[in-house]
Amino acid sequence: MKNLGIILIILGAVMMIAGMLGDPLGIGFLSDLCDFNAYTLGAFFLCVIGLISHIVINKRIVD
């Protein structure tokens, strides 16, 4: 539970990186992902929710 925020941040970052690297690597199904707003926003919100949950969870552990 303590690492949930970090896992969400890493998952969102990997999704963003996979969408951007799909075209240069020649992977067909990944090359179009960066063009979809829902995919990009989903990855962004995973990062934001991960950051907020990391702060909240670790604040409760310390207190």
Side-chain angles (χ1 to χ4, degrees):
M1 182 74 175
K2 181 180 175 183
N3 295 325
L4 177 66
I6 299 297
I7 292 170
L8 289 175
I9 293 170
I10 291 172
L11 181 65
V14 166
M15 285 175 63
M16 287 184 189
I17 292 170
M20 289 294 152
L21 286 181
D23 198 28
L25 294 178
I27 303 172
F29 67 93
L30 289 179
S31 63
D32 294 332
L33 288 178
C34 62
D35 295 333
F36 295 122
N37 289 336
Y39 180 82
T40 308
L41 284 174
F44 171 72
F45 283 130
L46 270 177
C47 291
V48 170
I49 290 170
L51 180 63
I52 291 171
S53 66
H54 178 70
I55 292 170
V56 169
I57 290 170
N58 285 326
K59 183 171 176 62
R60 290 187 183 184
I61 290 174
V62 171
D63 289 343

